[in-house]
Amino acid sequence: MYNHLLKNTIAKFFQSACLLAAACLYSVSSIANAAFTSPSQTLTTAHNETLVYHELKAANQLDKPKPAIILLGGGPGFSSWNLEPIQTLLHSFGHSTYLMDMRGIGENSNLATHRLQKTITQLWVEDIDSLIQQLPATSSQKPILIGHSWGALMAMLYTQQYPDHISQLLLLNPVDPEKHAMRDLTENVHQKNLQAQQITWDDEKAWNNEVSELASELQAREITERQITQVLPTYFYDYQQGQSYAKMFNHTDFDIELNVQAWKAYDANPITYEQIRNWRLPVDFLDCRQDSLMPENLQALENNQVLRKIIVLDKCSHFPWVEQPKAFEQAIKYIVDSE
């Protein structure tokens, strides 16, 4: 039964599963609810819409100012308040750091997710560029772009269109452009759940998440909460830590339809390694040895492009800043602050 259902639904389920691989998270002790804690700013997009973002501005640097950093979260279709620990960490290194919910979710849920002939991924690229164009004109350095999981794909989509607008690209627990690492992802999630708590994924109700057939908003909420409580913990090295962490999230943190919409847009116009090899900027890689996407994502990237720095941390899965915070701090500082 399971194998039959898996073949019929893997394309739908891995999209929902991957959002959880792409959700960047707080440590359990540092957050009480799902919300941004830093003051919000607004900018006007190319389509005269108001986009909300969050800035942690570095102090004036008289000697050699450090480049600004743009953080891109995952999903697709997941809120980004949970990236604030990384934003705060990078700010402590002396960088102005910027973070926002992508249009269609969270603080920017009111913005249109399609316009004329433009897909959601194209609009997200435009929004990222609108944010970069808002950076202070006094800075002579181009910003660094950091993307986690799906956010790494989003960072590459942006770089594909505007390779001269950034100085450096950091792929954090990325999905490789051709999605080699995702081929066995659903099976891995299933097996880890079975080992941890004997969850029955074999029944059709647990698998058949056909968005176009959702009967009600309540059903969509139930599906989303099931993904969070049953899938998110499998992306942790310590399953119990993942279970505790999952309790901080609810159905408002993720939009299933936006997730599917974004994956369809990407699959219709994916990034190619031929395009990546034309970039003239350093690309760095930071991941965990026990990540569900490893080692396939690193192998695929190494085989097709030049990675300047490669750091693989141990005893963590998809959220190294939560699972190995000290090692993660040292690694990301080495990547963004070394010449």
Side-chain angles (χ1 to χ4, degrees), residues 27-254:
S27 65
V28 175
S29 62
S30 64
I31 185 165
N33 59 353
F36 284 96
T37 60
S38 59
S40 62
Q41 310 282 345
T42 60
L43 61 84
T44 302
T45 71
H47 301 287
N48 202 34
E49 299 165 300
T50 300
L51 185 74
V52 180
Y53 68 96
H54 292 258
E55 174 191 50
L56 291 180
K57 193 171 184 179
N60 290 332
Q61 301 165 343
L62 299 178
D63 296 329
K64 186 178 180 181
K66 294 184 177 182
I69 297 179
I70 313 293
L71 287 172
L72 301 180
F78 209 89
S79 58
S80 294
W81 58 265
N82 39 34
L83 279 167
E84 280 195 332
I86 303 177
Q87 182 186 25
T88 301
L89 179 63
L90 294 168
H91 178 253
S92 74
F93 300 159
H95 297 267
S96 293
T97 57
Y98 298 83
L99 174 64
M100 65 180 174
D101 283 331
M102 290 296 186
R103 64 170 58 226
I105 192 69
E107 293 183 329
N108 292 312
S109 60
N110 60 313
L111 274 65
T113 57
H114 56 84
R115 182 181 297 277
L116 300 176
Q117 301 300 314
K118 294 187 176 181
T119 66
I120 182 60
T121 52
Q122 290 170 328
L123 290 171
W124 281 343
V125 165
E126 288 185 355
D127 290 341
I128 295 166
D129 199 55
S130 293
L131 177 58
I132 288 177
Q133 297 305 320
Q134 288 284 123
L135 298 182
T138 54
S139 175
S140 60
Q141 300 187 64
K142 298 174 184 178
I144 297 170
L145 200 55
I146 300 178
H148 177 249
S149 200
W150 159 268
L153 280 182
M154 198 65 243
M156 286 188 277
L157 284 171
Y158 177 83
T159 307
Q160 179 184 38
Q161 187 164 342
Y162 298 108
D164 297 328
H165 288 196
I166 60 172
S167 62
Q168 181 181 341
L169 187 61
L170 171 54
L171 308 178
L172 177 59
N173 301 84
V175 177
D176 57 282
E178 295 180 353
K179 303 189 299 186
H180 292 282
M182 296 180 65
R183 290 173 181 173
D184 298 322
L185 183 61
T186 305
E187 175 67 17
N188 292 340
V189 168
H190 171 69
Q191 291 300 326
K192 194 164 185 179
N193 262 313
L194 288 180
Q195 294 169 9
Q197 58 183 33
Q198 291 78 50
I199 288 178
T200 300
W201 286 79
D202 294 10
D203 88 56
E204 189 167 356
K205 184 177 180 181
W207 279 101
N208 192 14
N209 296 343
E210 179 63 60
V211 175
S212 63
E213 296 178 359
L214 291 178
S216 65
E217 182 177 340
L218 178 61
Q219 184 179 356
R221 173 174 176 170
E222 290 174 348
I223 291 172
T224 302
E225 290 180 345
R226 184 167 66 245
Q227 300 297 342
I228 291 172
T229 60
Q230 296 187 2
V231 177
L232 176 56
T234 68
Y235 286 95
F236 276 73
Y237 179 71
D238 181 338
Y239 189 90
Q240 290 184 336
Q241 182 184 17
Q243 286 181 305
S244 297
Y245 207 71
K247 292 178 182 178
M248 296 186 297
F249 298 86
N250 60 45
H251 68 283
T252 64
D253 288 308
F254 171 56

Side-chain angles (χ1 to χ4, degrees), residues 254-273:
F254 171 56
D255 188 304
I256 292 178
E257 293 189 49
L258 189 59
N259 176 273
V260 174
Q261 183 182 348
W263 275 115
K264 287 181 177 179
Y266 178 80
D267 289 340
N269 188 25
I271 300 162
T272 68
Y273 285 112

